[in-house]
Amino acid sequence: MTTSGTAPAPPATGAPDLPALLAAGTTVVLWASAFVGIRHVGTEVGPAALTLGRLAVAALVLGLVLLARPRAAGPRPSRRDLPLLLLCGLAWFGAYNVALNAAEQRLDAGTAAMLVNVGPLLIAALAGVVLGEGFPRPLVTGLGVAFAGVLVIGAASSSGGAEAWGVVLCLVAAVAYAVGVVAQKPLLGRLTGLRVTFLACAVGGAACLPAAPALADDLAAASTGTVLWLAYLGVFPTAVAFTTWAFALSRTTAGRMGATTYLVPPLAVLMGWALLGEVPAALALAGGALCLAGVALARRRPAP
């Protein structure tokens, strides 16, 4: 990872940016694994308590890394960075996680996936206007194809029931996700991904502190497996994956990076198959293929 505040320039047009690709790949694999962990932990730990526990573990891990490698932390944020840091931490790390955890207790996985994955479309729209990224044709086409794949996966795994409050929570999560990513992008031109992720975790965790008594009660009654899964969620899908995400985002546009998260639903289907014995329908596999094709299209650089 870069040790300066300025993000490293990506390679010339047409050349693959292998470090960014590896970072993005790490992120989507770990985020897909998070859905398996959330389904397990969510049976014994409440939505806000789960978010607090996950962010507390992540902030502790990242804080120790920053203490051990102060040069890797890069410059400290200035006053102009604080509003964006607060927005990123509150919207994405706080509100998104709480809303998604609560929604998954009210909706089946397929319906939740369809609704939450409005997020990358919102990211592309906001980034196109707010960040001046525009609307390149490969990105727009790829997002459409990938979202169609998510709809297919959702249709294959949905039970057909959708509680109204669960739908609202999913849409809140999608909006919070998009706002958080668009707020994060400018920060990565001045700060390292490691510092931004640590501070955003701290902000999101602080916002969830009212859930501390519930977290203590839930963990006291939880099984060892649940406690271990919560620790896993904090270390890998949060501390590691959000840092690799920030590194990759610093080297590409928010719209193209958001499109890569359409790889999460098909990977989550495959992991549920391998780890939980949840055999996917053939239609879900077809939807996964559409997601892969859409992400490949979205990440193509437009012709000069």
Side-chain angles (χ1 to χ4, degrees):
M1 299 220 172
T2 176
T3 57
S4 67
T6 303
T13 301
D17 186 351
L18 292 179
L21 288 175
L22 287 173
T26 299
T27 296
V28 297
V29 169
L30 291 177
W31 281 356
S33 75
F35 283 92
V36 178
I38 289 171
R39 283 206 296 274
H40 181 90
V41 176
T43 61
E44 298 186 68
V45 181
L50 194 163
T51 301
L52 174 59
R54 182 175 173 177
L55 293 177
V57 171
L60 175 62
V61 170
L62 293 171
L64 291 174
V65 172
L66 289 171
L67 287 174
R69 299 186 60 194
R71 294 183 61 185
R76 295 179 182 275
S78 64
R79 286 190 176 184
R80 66 170 177 163
D81 296 322
L82 296 181
L84 290 177
L85 282 169
L86 288 172
L87 183 58
C88 179
L90 292 173
W92 192 8
F93 287 69
Y96 167 79
N97 280 298
V98 174
L100 181 59
N101 293 342
E104 289 194 354
Q105 294 181 353
R106 294 169 170 82
L107 299 176
D108 59 78
T111 303
M114 287 188 286
L115 293 169
V116 171
N117 276 285
V118 173
L121 299 176
L122 296 176
I123 290 172
L126 284 174
V129 176
V130 177
L131 302 181
E133 293 182 359
F135 302 93
R137 182 176 296 178
L139 173 63
V140 174
T141 304
L143 284 169
V145 172
F147 186 63
V150 171
L151 293 179
V152 172
I153 292 173
S157 56
S158 176
S159 63
E163 182 186 328
W165 184 232
V167 171
V168 170
L169 287 169
C170 272
L171 294 177
V172 167
V175 172
Y177 166 40
V179 170
V181 170
V182 173
Q184 183 187 44
K185 175 62 177 173
L187 292 169
L188 297 172
R190 304 186 289 271
L191 305 171
T192 62
L194 182 62
R195 187 180 287 280
V196 170
T197 305
F198 168 71
L199 292 174
C201 277
V203 169
C208 294
L209 279 176
L215 176 62
D217 292 341
D218 290 344
L219 290 182
S223 65
T224 302
T226 293
V227 175
L228 292 176
W229 265 115
L230 183 60
Y232 171 84
L233 288 171
V235 175
F236 294 101
T238 310
V240 174
F242 276 90
T243 302
T244 52
W245 160 277
F247 173 76
L249 179 60
S250 72
R251 300 170 72 97
T252 188
T253 65
R256 293 176 75 223
M257 192 61 196
T260 63
T261 61
Y262 278 124
L263 296 175
V264 172
L267 284 173
V269 167
L270 293 177
M271 288 183 180
W273 187 5
L275 300 176
L276 303 177
E278 299 173 346
V279 180
L283 193 60
L285 297 177
L290 271 177
C291 288
L292 291 172
V295 172
L297 281 171
R299 291 192 62 83
R300 286 180 59 191
R301 295 183 185 274

